[in-house]
Amino acid sequence: MIYTPFLFFSGIHLASSFSILPHTYSATSSCFRPITFLSSTSNSENNSTSIDVSDLNITLDDLKKPIPKEMLYETFKLAGYQSTSRIPNVDDEGCYWVENENDLDVTLQIPGLRGQPAASLSVLFSTTTVSITAFGRVVYSVIQMGFSDPDDCSFITEDGEGMVPVIQMNIKKRDVGERWGGFILDVGEDSIL
C-alpha cells in the first residue's frame, strides 16, 4: 500500500520527542532513528521538551499494517487527466476522471470531434471498452483500465466550448473496491480521429 510508509514515518514522528523549536532529522544507513528536536540557547546548551505519547497505544507493528480498503474509499478519491490522443507525445488532457469505490465519473472532450453536434453522439459500453459513435458510426474507442458493468453505465452529451462536444459518462465497476488509477488504458485502433 502506498500509505503504509507515510503512516510508518508518522508513527516515528509521534513516538519521538516534540518541541516547538526547529528540528533536525537523522538516519543511519541501516534504519531510521527517532526524530530529535534540538534547541540552542545563548550559552550553547541543548534543551529539549518531550511529550509522552504512550497513551495512544500504538506500536510500530500497528503502523506496518495495511490500511483497510473501506477506510481508504471513504476518505480518498482519485482524480486526474489523461490524453485522448493515440499519438504518444500529444497530451491533450481531453479525459478527466474521478474514481470512487463503485464507479468512475469520466468527462471526455476529444479535439477530433470538433464540429460534431452533441445530439449525434452516442456511447457503446462493454466490459472492457467504451466506443463513441457519431451518426451511428464508431469514431473513437478506448480500452478501460478495469472491468465495468456495461448494463449500469450511463452517459450524457452536450455542446462545449470551441465546438468540441462534452461527453460525460458514469462507469460502474464490475469488481467493487478495485482501484483503476485512471480510465484510459489505451486508445482503440478503430479510432478514426
Side-chain angles (χ1 to χ4, degrees), residues 40-57:
S40 59
T41 60
S42 58
N43 59 3
S44 300
E45 295 178 13
N46 287 335
N47 296 328
S48 68
T49 305
S50 63
I51 298 172
D52 183 15
V53 293
S54 61
D55 61 332
L56 296 176
N57 297 324

Side-chain angles (χ1 to χ4, degrees), residues 21-34:
L21 299 172
H23 55 275
T24 59
Y25 297 92
S26 61
T28 64
S29 60
S30 61
C31 67
F32 286 96
R33 292 186 299 196

Side-chain angles (χ1 to χ4, degrees), residues 99-169:
E99 182 178 5
N100 301 299
E101 179 181 8
N102 302 324
D103 61 6
L104 278 89
D105 291 315
V106 179
T107 302
L108 293 176
Q109 290 183 288
I110 305 166
L113 292 176
R114 184 178 314 277
Q116 298 295 324
S120 72
L121 301 176
S122 185
V123 180
L124 305 172
F125 298 100
S126 77
T127 306
T128 57
T129 63
V130 169
S131 299
I132 310 295
T133 66
F135 297 103
R137 182 176 178 184
V138 174
V139 293
Y140 184 81
S141 66
V142 296
I143 301 170
Q144 303 169 157
M145 297 282 273
F147 295 99
S148 63
D149 183 358
D151 295 331
D152 286 337
C153 296
S154 60
F155 76 95
I156 59 171
T157 61
E158 57 187 36
D159 293 318
E161 290 185 29
M163 296 181 59
V164 177
V166 178
I167 304 164
Q168 296 178 346
M169 301 180 292

